[in-house]
Amino acid sequence: MRHIISILLENEPGALSRVVGLFSQRNYNIESLTVAPTEDRTLSRLTITTVGDDRKIEQITKHLNKLIDVVKLVDLTEGAHIERELMLIKVKATGAQRDEVKRTADIFRGQIVDVTNTIYSIQLVGTSEKLDGFLAAISGTTVLEVARTGVSGISRGEKVLSV
Amino acid sequence: MTAQRSMKVEQLSGGEMLIRALHDEGVEMIYGYPGGAVLHIYDAIFNQDKVEHILVRHEQAATHAADGYARATGKPGVVLVTSGPGATNAVTGIATAFMDSIPMIVISGQVDSSLIGSDGFQETDMVGISRPIVKHSFMVQNPEDIPMVVKKAFHIATTGRPGPVVIDIPKDVTDPNKKFKYHYPESVKLRSYSVPGKGHTGQIKKAVEILLAAKRPVIYTGGGVVQGNGSELLRELARKLDFPVTNTLMGLGAYPATDRQFLGMLGMHGTYEANMAMHFSDVVLGIGVRFDDRVTNAVSKFCPGAKILHVDIDPASISKTVPADVPIVGSVTCVLEEMLELIKLSETRVDKKSIDLWWSQIDGWREKDSLKVTPADNDIIKPQQVIQSLYEITKGEAYVSSDVGQHQMFAAQYYKFDEPRRWINSGGLGTMGFGFPAAMGVQLAFPDAVSVCVTGEGSFQMNLQELATCLQYQLPIKIVCLNNQALGMVKQWQDMQYGGRYSHSTYAESLPDFVKLAEAYGHVGIRIEKLSELNSKLAEAFALKDRLVFIDVMVDPMEHVYPMAIKGGAMKDMYLSKTERT
Ligand SMILES: Cc1ncc(C[n+]2csc(CCOP(=O)(O)OP(=O)(O)O)c2C)c(N)n1
Ligand SMILES: [Mg+2]
């Protein structure tokens, strides 16, 4: 099963490499990873999506917790949560395709953020599934470039991840 | 005194602060080797006499010596090496300590901060290289940070599940011309690091109930009981319950080997009775163990009828390979104390009838005498006989460090350790070359103790340069070399699995004369070739109390280590000799 693990990490040099190193060292896979400082500048927030059975995920979270730089972590997929990913996608927009792409982007609530005579650059936010859905929907179009941020997420309701 | 000291603010350079901080942390001895990046630090060492520096002849030996010191004393070992090749030479020793959870601080020099990343002379990314084999690491950015970094490093290395910590220090940070206020912190707090203490009482209760209802229990303990100083409590618990005890290779000595309740070592080369008892048990109490593949054999066939109670300080060790029915995270002393208390308070008593029945079954297995030694003809020495003789001559009281191979297993099987921290070996990483420098660390920690290194002619050649260190510091180590003229353990596997094709495991024609080698380094060398002279010559060597003696014992080169687990089987599946299996 796919899991989203959110981590508060000391904002120290080398901290990120310890997390990433742990995954390669123990043969866990990383599907996506996002990282940026939080409102507290001494902390970064990291979101990792990974796939594994319960036993594997338990090992991953235990080993992450052992890293001295990991202050706190939560497996968001254990409870109700919100996940979002941002995608920037550059497509060929000529002839009949031009309208078709625009229409599909609207349906998916995407925004066209850059335009030339032949090209649309579209920004889309949503779950990874939704972004995949959009890519499937425009599969008849020539896609020139895709940049995805990877998943970021928080728990629903009162629950917070903080120190 | 303390108040006075804190009033007077000292001005120290980074290099001076480092050595001062080590002293304030209680460090008496460090093991190292100088080089460009650490010269400021070495100058600071020169100008003081509180911290003694031991000059080894290879950085790997510095780490193993510090490791041996740590295993024997329970205190962290400290290493100082230069950047680049000094640091990379230390890597094997760091990995060795990491695998066996040994507290160690490795201070490595680094090029000037301004040169980092420029492929400067003797630059290597030590924090990066060591990342997977350390508990934590630091790169010191400012001289003022040194006291706090040292404090944190020792705290992390010695608490919880111990392990090595690297402190990488750029040369400019130790500049003797830049002085700073020195203050060593009393305590340290790390928001992201907490040390497990007491276990979960509910879980411990559950475990005690299961133990008291057990009919065929085994207590299986490992390095965690040695490291966590839980040996006394383990003895109390085992005796109270009258349960059989087995120790892992890392755990030998935690329970007295000469005790009636001891089944011997378990696992790949464990005794018949220990492995049989594990397999047929109904309750396994694992303490400070990690259900390593060298113990369990095929996990799917492991102890099919047993409930698993697992006590460990590291939550990640629990249910890693074998799922625990009752996981207990906590320090071994806290958990065992609470268990003993609960047993005392409990209305229930051990099921004595079942336990007696269990013991009679175990005694039946014991009759197999799986460690029986059949003497050879023609006065040929069997390697096992050497360890038996060593045990007699040292009255079982020596510190025995070993290398890796058949000789290691023979030492583990035949030297009966009654106390913890006496058996010093690289169990997890299996590092050849570990034993001799580790024996130096032991001897330096306990100058009056008998420090023995049981080695093979293969392993010894991986760190023999330390003969010079032993001369310099007058370390009267006794090196007992089980010379089978081959990489015996490799050869054994080739006998058993590769039709006796000895691919690169023999070299009899090119072995050095170890007696002359010892003499060349200013030590004593003795060769023993006949069984009839084994005891007398060995005794002669140990009578030379002030000298290092290299005892080159020519042993039967065809001997195998038995019992040996049958790969892919359960714990009950063992070869018992070249011709017999279970
Ligand atoms: C550094 C290192 N290299 C290789 C090995 C693999 N290995 C394990 S035992 C062994 C043979 C050791 O020979 P020796 O020291 O003579 O001991 P013996 O088995 O003959 O008693 C080897 C090569 C190892 N454990 N460590
Ligand atoms: Mg050999």
Side-chain angles (χ1 to χ4, degrees):
Chain A
M1 203 184 112
R2 173 172 166 273
H3 288 252
I4 305 172
I5 299 170
S6 256
I7 303 170
L8 288 178
L9 190 69
E10 294 286 1
N11 194 358
E12 298 261 356
L16 181 61
S17 75
R18 287 182 220 276
V19 173
V20 176
L22 176 70
F23 275 76
S24 63
Q25 176 189 349
R26 298 206 176 255
N27 210 7
Y28 307 144
N29 86 326
I30 296 181
E31 300 240 304
S32 78
L33 174 127
T34 67
V35 56
T38 63
E39 79 287 0
D40 173 351
R41 303 298 299 183
T42 68
L43 289 173
S44 300
R45 181 159 177 145
L46 216 93
T47 313
I48 293 178
T49 55
T50 183
V51 178
D53 56 23
D54 287 355
R55 206 146 140 218
K56 189 156 196 169
I57 299 297
E58 185 181 325
Q59 277 295 312
I60 292 177
T61 54
K62 280 175 168 177
H63 279 290
L64 282 169
N65 264 318
K66 270 175 77 174
L67 294 177
I68 311 289
D69 287 329
V70 169
V71 181
K72 248 187 189 165
L73 72 79
V74 62
D75 179 354
L76 290 176
T77 25
E78 274 181 355
H81 64 279
I82 298 158
E83 60 170 282
R84 290 291 181 271
E85 187 178 356
L86 183 143
M87 173 165 72
L88 293 171
I89 173 167
K90 191 175 282 193
V91 298
K92 216 175 203 132
T94 48
Q97 275 188 12
R98 205 168 165 90
D99 278 353
E100 183 56 30
V101 169
K102 169 92 175 65
R103 239 189 329 270
T104 316
D106 285 343
I107 293 168
F108 279 82
R109 295 177 201 253
Q111 292 160 293
I112 295 170
V113 289
D114 189 40
V115 187
T116 73
N117 286 341
T118 54
I119 279 171
Y120 279 153
S121 292
I122 304 160
Q123 167 189 308
L124 201 68
V125 175
T127 62
S128 303
E129 271 181 343
K130 174 175 157 180
L131 305 193
D132 292 341
F134 180 71
L135 287 174
I138 59 160
S139 59
T141 317
T142 314
V143 174
L144 299 170
E145 198 177 342
V146 174
R148 293 171 71 150
T149 58
V151 175
S152 187
I154 50 173
S155 301
R156 283 190 184 275
E158 313 273 297
K159 213 170 143 194
V160 290
L161 179 65
S162 67
V163 289
Chain B
M1 178 67 196
T2 337
Q4 245 179 16
R5 207 166 68 192
S6 59
M7 300 276 284
K8 175 172 134 265
V9 179
E10 284 178 278
Q11 296 281 329
L12 299 179
S13 72
E16 290 165 340
M17 279 203 272
L18 176 67
I19 301 304
R20 216 5 231 292
L22 292 178
H23 173 64
D24 286 344
E25 189 58 45
V27 174
E28 294 160 347
M29 192 177 285
I30 64 178
Y31 305 84
Y33 206 85
V38 286
L39 283 180
H40 297 330
I41 301 173
Y42 270 84
D43 202 45
I45 292 174
F46 190 84
N47 290 321
Q48 56 87 53
D49 58 4
K50 288 173 177 140
V51 178
E52 190 188 356
H53 177 274
I54 305 297
L55 177 68
V56 294
R57 298 298 185 273
H58 188 296
E59 290 87 351
Q60 183 189 351
T63 53
H64 294 329
D67 184 323
Y69 171 93
R71 289 181 204 236
T73 62
K75 295 190 273 189
V78 184
V79 176
L80 173 60
V81 295
T82 193
S83 66
T88 54
N89 272 352
V91 165
T92 300
I94 299 174
T96 303
F98 182 72
M99 285 294 274
D100 290 344
S101 311
I102 305 303
M104 184 187 289
I105 306 289
V106 178
I107 300 158
S108 53
Q110 185 52 277
V111 297
D112 277 343
S113 309
S114 59
L115 286 175
I116 292 177
S118 71
D119 301 324
F121 177 63
Q122 296 195 326
E123 180 185 358
T124 194
D125 173 12
M126 183 54 173
V127 166
I129 285 179
S130 62
R131 200 208 65 242
I133 50 168
V134 294
K135 188 167 170 191
H136 196 57
S137 50
F138 296 90
M139 159 78 87
V140 182
Q141 313 275 353
N142 306 296
E144 303 96 303
D145 298 343
I146 287 176
M148 191 40 109
V149 167
V150 170
K151 185 84 203 171
K152 283 183 183 169
F154 277 85
H155 177 60
I156 292 168
T158 56
T159 54
R161 180 175 180 172
V165 174
V166 163
I167 306 178
D168 201 35
I169 311 186
K171 187 170 184 181
D172 53 305
V173 171
T174 58
D175 188 343
N177 297 316
K178 300 199 181 108
K179 306 263 183 182
F180 302 86
K181 279 186 204 153
Y182 174 81
H183 166 73
Y184 196 65
E186 301 261 297
S187 62
V188 60
K189 219 182 127 32
L190 291 157
R191 63 176 166 183
S192 55
Y193 178 72
S194 62
V195 178
K198 261 178 64 67
H200 188 281
T201 301
Q203 293 289 87
I204 298 176
K205 265 195 190 132
K206 225 196 269 173
V208 165
E209 276 166 28
I210 294 172
L211 286 172
L212 292 176
K215 296 189 185 316
R216 300 183 311 280
V218 180
I219 304 178
Y220 144 51
T221 83
V225 176
V226 177
Q227 292 289 321
N229 300 316
S231 183
E232 283 305 318
L233 289 165
L234 168 67
R235 291 164 194 215
E236 204 182 324
L237 180 78
R239 282 170 191 156
K240 179 142 208 131
L241 298 170
D242 190 31
F243 286 1
V245 182
T246 176
N247 290 161
T248 67
L249 178 66
M250 288 305 299
L252 295 176
Y255 196 82
T258 51
D259 189 274
R260 180 189 64 85
Q261 282 168 250
F262 190 60
L263 304 183
M265 180 170 76
L266 82 171
M268 178 168 274
H269 294 298
T271 63
Y272 178 71
E273 55 268 35
N275 288 339
M276 293 301 275
M278 283 292 285
H279 184 82
F280 290 102
S281 64
D282 70 340
V283 174
V284 169
L285 171 60
I287 313 172
V289 289
R290 51 196 181 90
F291 294 81
D292 181 76
D293 53 270
R294 282 290 188 268
V295 164
T296 59
N297 208 348
V299 169
S300 57
K301 299 175 189 165
F302 177 73
C303 299
K307 283 212 172 79
I308 309 287
L309 323 177
H310 191 178
V311 181
D312 204 283
I313 199 156
D314 178 7
S317 271
I318 293 178
S319 299
K320 182 172 69 175
T321 55
V322 174
D325 295 292
V326 183
I328 302 171
V329 178
S331 86
V332 53
T333 47
C334 290
V335 174
L336 289 188
E337 262 165 22
E338 198 167 345
M339 272 189 179
L340 281 161
E341 193 56 37
L342 287 171
I343 291 168
K344 217 181 287 168
L345 296 176
S346 172
E347 313 264 279
T348 329
R349 287 284 166 265
V350 181
D351 179 356
K352 190 164 178 336
K353 233 169 103 189
S354 301
I355 300 297
D356 286 346
L357 214 64
W358 181 224
W359 271 117
S360 58
Q361 190 170 1
I362 289 171
D363 287 338
W365 288 325
R366 275 175 164 164
E367 273 165 29
K368 191 133 216 145
D369 199 2
S370 62
L371 296 182
K372 183 174 57 222
V373 182
T374 320
D377 307 327
N378 308 327
D379 224 9
I380 288 172
I381 303 170
K382 289 279 184 187
Q384 299 93 326
Q385 292 171 321
V386 183
I387 307 297
Q388 287 174 327
S389 175
L390 173 69
Y391 176 75
E392 295 301 328
I393 286 167
T394 57
K395 303 192 189 69
E397 288 167 357
Y399 286 83
V400 179
S401 310
S402 92
D403 269 299
V404 174
Q406 291 183 319
H407 62 273
Q408 173 193 27
M409 291 304 136
F410 290 135
Q413 291 175 328
Y414 292 90
Y415 200 99
K416 289 171 261 173
F417 294 93
D418 279 342
E419 295 300 329
R421 300 194 180 281
R422 294 293 171 102
W423 166 239
I424 314 272
N425 91 124
S426 165
L429 199 66
T431 308
M432 289 171 69
F434 170 83
F436 179 32
M440 299 196 312
V442 172
Q443 192 77 79
L444 283 157
F446 300 115
D448 299 327
V450 179
S451 175
V452 179
C453 168
V454 173
T455 187
E457 76 306 313
S459 294
F460 185 70
Q461 291 185 78
M462 286 208 179
N463 263 322
L464 67 82
Q465 77 286 342
E466 297 307 314
L467 286 168
T469 310
C470 290
L471 185 67
Q472 182 175 353
Y473 296 96
Q474 299 286 311
L475 304 179
I477 295 166
K478 303 294 176 283
I479 301 165
V480 179
C481 178
L482 303 190
N483 191 338
N484 53 12
Q485 306 176 56
L487 301 172
M489 189 55 96
V490 173
K491 197 165 149 252
Q492 172 169 351
W493 284 52
Q494 288 169 338
D495 275 329
M496 296 174 78
Q497 294 174 24
Y498 300 90
R501 292 183 297 280
Y502 298 148
S503 181
H504 299 273
S505 55
T506 58
Y507 41 42
E509 60 297 329
S510 54
L511 281 171
D513 180 333
F514 287 108
V515 172
K516 281 194 193 147
L517 183 77
E519 287 167 0
Y521 276 96
H523 302 300
V524 180
I526 293 180
R527 181 165 300 117
I528 309 179
E529 290 171 301
K530 296 186 193 124
L531 181 61
S532 49
E533 56 184 23
L534 175 63
N535 289 332
S536 59
K537 284 204 167 175
L538 207 52
E540 206 180 290
F542 277 83
L544 296 172
K545 294 220 180 324
D546 304 330
R547 301 294 298 274
L548 182 149
V549 186
F550 188 101
I551 308 146
D552 190 24
V553 193
M554 307 309 292
V555 297
D556 181 354
M558 298 315 289
E559 191 63 17
H560 285 179
V561 182
Y562 292 108
M564 180 167 173
I566 299 173
K567 197 174 151 48
M571 284 192 80
K572 68 172 172 43
D573 301 317
M574 290 165 266
Y575 296 109
L576 297 171
S577 70
K578 285 185 183 168
T579 50
E580 193 189 0
R581 53 162 295 172
T582 55

